Amino acid sequence: MTSAHDTPAHDTPAHDTPARDTSAAPDLDVLVAGGGAAGLAAAVTLARSRRAVTVVDSGQPRNAAAEGVHALLGREGISPAELLAAGRGEVAGYGGEVRSGEITAVRRLEDGRFETTVSTAEGETTLTARRLLIATGLTDELPDVPGLAEGWGRDVIHCPYCHGWEVRDRSILVLGTSPNSVHQALLFSQLSADVRFLEDTGRGPGLDADQARMLAARGVEVVTGEAAGVESGVRDGEDRLTGVRLSGGGLLSAEVVVVAPRMLARTEAFDSLGLRLEENPMGQFLSVDPAGRTSVPGVWAAGNASDLSAQVGAAAAAGTMAGAQLNAELVMEGL
């Protein structure tokens, strides 16, 4: 277990690391799957309540490609890597543990505990916990347009609140490949006067009359065609996006492409538990109550695994709530 003495001073809370006697209780109170904002916030809350908590993180944050985290009060613009490093230090500072690895299998024991198989660089290990918190985030499934993935998080974006200020007043092309695409175009029209909408005839649902009127009212030009690929070139000395090539051969010039990915919660390792999933136009996610309880007793979820639209601040808040409720549940169980 990482101790407070192994943590950089600027990451460690200003207090003595609380001692915890684990000799009589070798199992974890809570195993947190995923070390993003939700998982780390939950772990800090649990560790501050002197719970035996371990975070298992695969090191593949969804926002790794982003230059900074936005709309996070007090930490505006901080790099994703720096934010997570600080969070890991805080978990360790309160006596929690963060392990690098990936949960590959979970099974429920007869006594209700959860036995998890964790794959690490050193091999496989097994961790057993009284409760399980899933904070594994989601996977963005992009339309099959060549070049989209290469620009993802830089010139190819999806969220006006995550990236909008940074692309203000630029030429923006919204790909109409999703039921959410019109909503994206309306929001991005608040940030730039140069927004166009590609009604992708090969992938998207198409526009109805009301949607066409809304786009026109916001000054968004509608172009019909099928995206064949995203193109780039040298601009200001850097390789940057230049537009979208249509299947007919024409090029729609743009500095920024907006696309709505299908978002899928990362739950494969937990399928054996029989968790209930829900779907909406954005994608698929774990069904939870307001505190984070899933459909399976003892299993909780927080962050993008259960809320596809949660930004970093909302994910961290959900993790804090889940951590507090988990501690309370364990206290009551102990009675």
Side-chain angles (χ1 to χ4, degrees):
M1 179 178 291
T2 304
S3 71
H5 303 292
D6 297 323
T7 307
H10 64 278
D11 283 339
T12 306
H15 59 77
D16 294 329
T17 301
R20 188 180 66 230
D21 180 10
T22 59
S23 59
D27 294 335
L28 296 169
D29 288 317
V30 181
L31 176 64
V32 179
L40 293 175
V44 168
T45 301
L46 288 159
R48 281 175 53 85
S49 293
R50 309 189 78 175
R51 291 295 177 186
V53 57
T54 290
V55 178
V56 176
D57 182 50
S58 64
Q60 297 176 326
R62 179 194 183 200
N63 62 354
E67 294 182 358
V69 174
H70 300 292
L72 183 62
L73 188 63
R75 305 306 299 270
E76 172 62 34
I78 186 173
S79 77
E82 183 182 353
L83 180 66
L84 296 182
R88 289 191 292 269
E90 290 168 2
V91 172
Y94 285 109
E97 180 187 28
V98 180
R99 291 194 184 191
S100 295
E102 185 171 359
I103 295 176
T104 57
V106 180
R107 72 185 185 99
R108 187 161 198 156
L109 303 178
E110 290 184 1
D111 61 7
R113 294 175 302 151
F114 298 93
E115 183 181 82
T116 61
T117 301
V118 180
S119 177
T120 69
E122 293 76 31
E124 287 192 345
T125 187
T126 299
L127 297 175
T128 305
R130 299 164 65 190
R131 297 291 187 275
L132 178 64
L133 173 63
I134 300 173
T136 45
L138 59 81
T139 298
D140 292 294
E141 190 177 81
L142 298 174
D144 59 341
V145 178
L148 275 184
E150 290 76 3
W152 182 241
R154 186 185 182 194
D155 296 326
V156 178
I157 60 177
H158 75 292
C159 173
Y161 304 108
C162 305
H163 310 283
W165 174 263
E166 286 66 39
V167 302
R168 66 195 184 281
D169 297 327
R170 296 185 189 176
S171 57
I172 299 172
L173 179 65
V174 180
L175 299 188
T177 56
S178 162
N180 288 321
S181 299
V182 171
H183 182 62
Q184 287 179 308
L186 296 174
L187 294 181
F188 274 96
S189 72
Q190 175 65 24
L191 296 157
S192 174
D194 187 1
V195 178
R196 287 186 290 175
F197 183 91
L198 175 60
E199 186 177 12
D200 193 309
T201 55
R203 300 180 183 86
L207 295 174
D208 61 32
D210 285 341
Q211 291 172 326
R213 282 194 292 268
M214 286 191 290
L215 292 174
R218 292 292 298 183
V220 176
E221 178 188 357
V222 175
V223 181
T224 301
E226 184 175 347
V230 175
E231 298 197 0
S232 61
V234 177
R235 187 172 72 244
D236 298 329
E238 295 183 43
D239 187 42
R240 304 303 296 258
L241 186 148
T242 57
V244 171
R245 181 72 60 181
L246 300 180
S247 58
L251 178 69
L252 294 176
S253 62
E255 297 173 274
V256 178
V257 167
V258 173
V259 64
R262 177 168 166 75
M263 304 175 189
L264 302 173
R266 295 173 177 167
T267 61
E268 296 84 355
F270 313 99
D271 287 348
S272 63
L273 299 175
L275 297 163
R276 184 167 64 243
L277 293 168
E278 295 187 28
E279 291 199 29
N280 64 23
M282 296 174 66
Q284 189 177 72
F285 54 97
L286 287 169
S287 176
V288 296
D289 72 5
R293 295 178 185 85
T294 71
S295 58
V296 175
V299 183
W300 299 57
N304 284 143
S306 55
D307 182 355
L308 301 179
S309 64
Q311 292 180 258
V312 170
T320 299
M321 168 66 79
Q325 294 294 322
L326 272 162
N327 177 63
E329 182 176 276
L330 289 169
V331 167
M332 297 307 294
E333 181 180 82
L335 293 177

